[in-house]
Amino acid sequence: MTSTARVVKLPPIHEKGRISLTGELQASDNRIDLLANPKSVPNTFQEDRRSVYWVDRQPPTAGPHGTTQIIASARVQELARHRTPNQHGWRGDRPTPIWAVRDGAKKAEAGPRLVALSEHKEPHPRYLFDRTAYMTMPLIQVSDGATKATPTERLETLSKPKDRRDRDKFGVITLATSWGQYNPVAPAAKTAQCTPHVESLAEPKKYHPRFVGEKPVQWQVDESALKAIANLRLQQLCRPRSRTMIKDDYDPYKVSMAARRAHATPRVEELCVPIPRKVRAKKIV
């Protein structure tokens, strides 16, 4: 038994402010059909390579002469060309530093401006040159009054060099007192006597009665040590462990039965308890 759907077509309403019902249904059907279409692939889409070794084209191979032949584009050939010199007025380097001078250049005369530029720079009018040892320059000649001057007695005293004995109070010139940096000991300090307490403090600190000094590098070995014989227990401890005594099935991580059944002492349990001030109650959510 089959049933057919009945479509009711209503006439469009052309009143102001209303839309045709048939046009709205057609617009919705076109929108659904448009959304149902698959997304089109653009023309510039490139499929992923199957492998990193996948190439789009064959690499260039060696030519008939055994070298790779690469065809450069017109732009690359233009960039590869060397730069051409300027053709307007450019001349290359002279072949030699010696060349013939023209007769006009030999007989040329410099103008006033060129002569002015060639002159050296003059110093400032108030500039004073450094004084020389002979005072021969006209600006710094010694006056006649300075040449005929007579020094005073005070000036002659100050111009004399200072004697080292003037700086030594005791009249003794030695290497230590040549520059006045050493003060000799006073006579009262030489004849002074220290008190018993100062003498006790000046004594060096004594060693402990049981102090034993460092052992010398070489010492005499006792006769008993030279003739000593090790006992049986000492020989057993000195003997290295034999390979035959090592078990092949030894497991270092295996816990023994005695360690499993061990009980902690009250003192160990007391030490395992955390400190009360560091204990914080767990928050219950």
Side-chain angles (χ1 to χ4, degrees), residues 214-219:
E214 296 180 357
K215 207 170 186 180
V217 180
Q218 296 181 359
W219 63 87

Side-chain angles (χ1 to χ4, degrees), residues 207-217:
Y207 293 105
H208 194 270
R210 296 184 181 180
F211 173 75
V212 180
E214 296 180 357
K215 207 170 186 180
V217 180

